[in-house]
């Protein structure tokens, strides 16, 4: 494909993408293909001779589209959003054109320096303490996901703890002490925390403990619950070294009590003292709301914590992947992750005057992801981003109001919080078991019909449905329609007249699809 052919193909592709977005609400939101569908449609290997772009492009609609779940559809109300915007797409286009692994500053200075600048912009926009800026001892880095960020900081926290608590030792005695301590080290998270903390502990080779976050605490972690677990760990000879606190939990968008967590740690693991507990704030989704002044009080305790992460690609109009990790002391990451083989040595890195982001992450190579963030921040501006968040918060309040209007059918469990409403279906008779079953039946039937896509969870032993409408195409009319579908389905299931209907062809077994975290006594 030469430049002329590329221009023609790109124009055709952009026309198709624009049409896809303009008509996305007309598509079945969740894919209903069966596993292995695509292998049956494709040949056993690539063609011997190259094909024309027009022939390749046809297969997008006929072969790929049927297997897509349309996250940008206004009828997608599941999980959390995966935002997309045209400025973000343009950033991806330029990034692909400038493609480079960009592990060192010298690989492409603009790739490194733009990332530093835009993440400082973002830190200020989110009201993060000054210690998270690159102009101090901290700074930000773009990762692929919040899970990647958590693995990275758990590794950094582990190495920091081991360095600090064995600094008086050397030789074989040091090796033995490190081996012993690693067998006793514990990473902590609440039962509302995302599973990525437990996975990170598994990868880092340390233990994991879950801290209760019951209904009476709003499914949030607080200092008292943390204190109990710290006491238990001490009694068992274990050494807690890391804690994930959450701003916007997966199941309910609960916000942990950062102030009481800070107070507890001041007593049991004083900050800035060797052996302190590293605290990471996971704000993957709800952190986007910090662009609005009305939410910025939530960052008041962050100066006492060690790292913070939010995903631009969830709620802030930037295409996947763009997960922004901020650390209070970049040296902690660099000490844990830096290796300098001879083939990476260069005068600029050795001068100490540049940032090499390969030392801030687990992979070596990295993409030019800051371009799309730069494009989004400049295109929408601060006011545009604030309007985007407030629009969805308002939509969440509207939907919660609709649910409350049918208390004979539904009961809100939590929310609306950051545009998320969590509720259950009220059975005609019976207790918790019947309530859980009818809620599950309604959830599965709604998803099987494919008009909207929602997720479920279990919190405190209660089966619930989650609805969050926070992608750029969300509007009240789609929430009104979702409410209508939920009402009709609930009445149908309660009345015992359920029929399984196929929408747009094949009906797949959708049980379990869209389920998220199981919280309070049910977590793994």
């Amino acid at each position: 494909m030469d430049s002329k052919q590329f221009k023609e193909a790109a124009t055709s592709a952009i026309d198709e993408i624009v049409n896809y977005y303009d008509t996305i609400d007309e598509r079945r939101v969740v894919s209903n293909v069966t596993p292995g569908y695509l292998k049956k449609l494709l040949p056993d290997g690539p063609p011997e001779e190259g094909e024309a772009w027009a022939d390749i492009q046809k297969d997008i609609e006929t072969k790929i589209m049927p297997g897509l779940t349309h996250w940008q559809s206004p009828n997608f109300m599941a999980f959390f959003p995966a935002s997309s915007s045209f400025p973000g797409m343009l950033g991806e286009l330029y990034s692909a054109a400038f493609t480079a692994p960009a592990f060192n500053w010298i690989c492409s200075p603009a790739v490194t320096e733009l990332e530093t600048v835009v993440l400082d912009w973002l830190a200020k926009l989110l009201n993060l303490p000054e210690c998270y800026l690159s102009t101090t001892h901290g700074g930000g880095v773009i990762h692929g996901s919040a899970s990647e960020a958590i693995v990275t900081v758990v590794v950094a926290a582990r190495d920091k703890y081991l360095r600090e608590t064995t600094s008086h030792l050397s030789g074989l005695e040091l090796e033995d002490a490190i081996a012993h301590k690693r067998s006793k080290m514990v990473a902590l998270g609440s039962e509302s925390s995302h599973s990525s903390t437990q996975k990170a502990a598994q990868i880092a080779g340390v233990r994991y403990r879950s801290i209760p976050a019951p209904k009476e605490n709003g499914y949030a972690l607080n200092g008292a619950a943390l204190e109990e677990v710290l006491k238990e760990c001490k009694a068992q000879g274990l050494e807690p070294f890391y804690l994930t606190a959450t701003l916007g939990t997966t199941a309910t968008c609960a916000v942990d009590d950062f102030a009481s967590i800070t107070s507890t740690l001041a007593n049991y693991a004083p900050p800035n003292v060797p052996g302190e507990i590293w605290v990471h704030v996971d704000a993957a989704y709800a952190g986007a709301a910090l662009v609005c002044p009305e939410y910025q009080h939530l960052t008041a305790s962050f100066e006492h914590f060690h790292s913070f992460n939010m995903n631009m690609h969830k709620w802030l109009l930037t295409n996947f992947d763009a997960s922004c990790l901020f650390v209070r002391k970049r040296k902690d990451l660099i000490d844990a992750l830096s290796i300098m083989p001879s083939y990476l040595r260069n005068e600029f890195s050795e001068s100490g005057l540049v940032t090499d982001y390969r030392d801030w992450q687990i992979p070596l190579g990295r993409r030019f992801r800051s371009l799309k963030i730069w494009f989004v921040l400049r295109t929408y501006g601060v006011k545009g981003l604030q309007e985007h968040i407030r629009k969805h918060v308002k939509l969440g309040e509207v939907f919660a109001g609709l649910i409350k209007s049918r208390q004979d059918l539904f009961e809100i469990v939590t929310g609306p919080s950051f545009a998320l409403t969590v509720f259950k279906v009220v059975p005609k008779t019976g207790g918790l078991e019947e309530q859980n079953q009818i809620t599950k039946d309604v959830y599965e039937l709604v998803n099987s019909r494919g008009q909207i896509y929602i997720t479920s969870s279990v919190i405190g032993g209660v089966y619930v449905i989650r609805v969050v409408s926070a992608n750029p195409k969300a509007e009240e009319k789609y929430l009104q329609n979702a409410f209508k579908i939920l009402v009709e389905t609930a009445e149908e299931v309660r009345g015992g007249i359920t029929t399984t209907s196929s929408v747009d062809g094949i009906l797949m077994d959708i049980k379990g699809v869209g389920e998220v975290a199981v919280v309070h006594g049910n977590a793994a």
Side-chain angles (χ1 to χ4, degrees), residues 82-119:
S83 289
S84 181
S85 68
F86 294 128
M89 291 183 207
L90 290 173
E92 291 281 22
L93 185 61
Y94 275 106
S95 178
F98 302 148
T99 188
F103 42 81
N104 280 344
W105 176 87
I106 194 60
C107 289
S108 278
V111 176
T112 293
E113 297 197 9
L114 184 63
E115 185 160 338
T116 301
V117 170
V118 298
L119 287 179

Side-chain angles (χ1 to χ4, degrees), residues 66-367:
L68 293 182
T69 291
H70 303 286
W71 286 64
Q72 306 312 312
S73 169
N75 295 311
F76 184 97
M77 303 171 187
F79 304 108
F80 287 126
S83 289
S84 181
S85 68
F86 294 128
M89 291 183 207
L90 290 173
E92 291 281 22
L93 185 61
Y94 275 106
S95 178
F98 302 148
T99 188
F103 42 81
N104 280 344
W105 176 87
I106 194 60
C107 289
S108 278
V111 176
T112 293
E113 297 197 9
L114 184 63
E115 185 160 338
T116 301
V117 170
V118 298
L119 287 179
D120 277 350
W121 283 10
L122 186 60
K124 294 173 185 176
L125 183 58
L126 299 174
N127 196 44
L128 297 185
E130 189 176 344
C131 57
Y132 290 95
L133 297 176
S134 68
T135 50
T136 62
H137 297 291
V141 59
I142 305 172
H143 283 185
S145 69
S147 299
E148 180 186 340
I150 288 175
V151 170
T152 302
V153 295
V154 166
V155 169
R158 180 198 66 190
D159 285 15
K160 175 179 181 290
Y161 183 86
L162 288 171
R163 279 195 311 274
E164 291 178 349
T165 56
T166 61
S167 61
H168 59 292
L169 302 174
S170 62
L172 186 59
E173 191 178 12
L174 173 62
E175 289 183 19
D176 289 344
I178 288 176
H180 176 72
K181 281 184 173 293
R182 286 188 67 158
S183 72
K184 299 294 184 180
M185 292 172 68
V186 182
L188 304 174
S190 85
E191 59 192 359
S192 294
S193 298
H194 191 270
S195 59
S196 53
T197 299
Q198 185 175 359
K199 186 173 184 178
Q202 182 177 325
I203 292 169
V206 297
R207 304 188 192 206
Y208 176 76
R209 288 289 184 274
S210 180
I211 305 171
K215 179 180 179 180
E216 54 266 31
N217 295 340
Y219 304 107
L221 171 65
N222 64 20
L226 173 60
E227 181 177 347
E228 287 301 310
V229 171
L230 290 176
K231 288 179 179 177
E232 290 172 9
C233 288
K234 184 176 181 180
Q236 295 167 6
L238 301 178
E239 300 183 34
F241 73 100
Y242 170 91
L243 169 69
T244 291
T246 309
L247 195 167
T249 59
T250 303
T252 67
C253 261
V255 177
D256 289 347
D257 185 349
F258 302 128
S260 68
I261 290 170
T262 301
S263 297
T264 293
L265 290 175
N267 292 326
Y268 285 85
N272 302 314
V273 173
E276 66 178 336
I277 293 176
W278 181 302
V279 182
H280 173 73
V281 178
D282 176 13
Y285 165 68
L290 296 175
V291 301
C292 298
E294 57 267 33
Y295 292 104
Q296 292 183 349
H297 64 282
L298 295 172
T299 68
S301 298
F302 288 5
E303 63 180 322
H304 303 293
F305 301 155
H306 300 74
S307 53
F308 168 91
N309 170 256
M310 59 82 63
N311 290 345
M312 289 284 289
H313 63 242
K314 274 193 167 68
W315 199 9
L316 222 49
L317 295 162
T318 307
N319 309 61
F320 190 88
D321 53 353
S323 187
C324 301
L325 169 66
F326 297 88
V327 290
R328 194 176 69 189
K329 291 183 180 178
R330 54 184 176 266
K331 186 177 183 296
D332 293 334
L333 284 185
I334 296 168
D335 285 349
L337 301 171
S338 179
I339 293 178
M340 180 62 83
S342 59
Y343 55 82
L344 293 180
R345 292 188 181 279
N346 65 85
E347 60 179 302
F348 301 102
S349 296
E350 293 181 352
S351 73
L353 299 176
V354 300
T355 296
D356 287 335
Y357 278 122
R358 64 182 175 81
D359 296 331
W360 296 46
Q361 61 178 28
I362 292 171
L364 175 65
R366 51 206 329 281
R367 300 192 304 113

Side-chain angles (χ1 to χ4, degrees), residues 359-377:
D359 296 331
W360 296 46
Q361 61 178 28
I362 292 171
L364 175 65
R366 51 206 329 281
R367 300 192 304 113
F368 198 177
R369 290 177 287 211
S370 58
L371 264 181
K372 58 189 174 186
I373 297 177
W374 192 42
F375 288 1
V376 167
L377 293 177

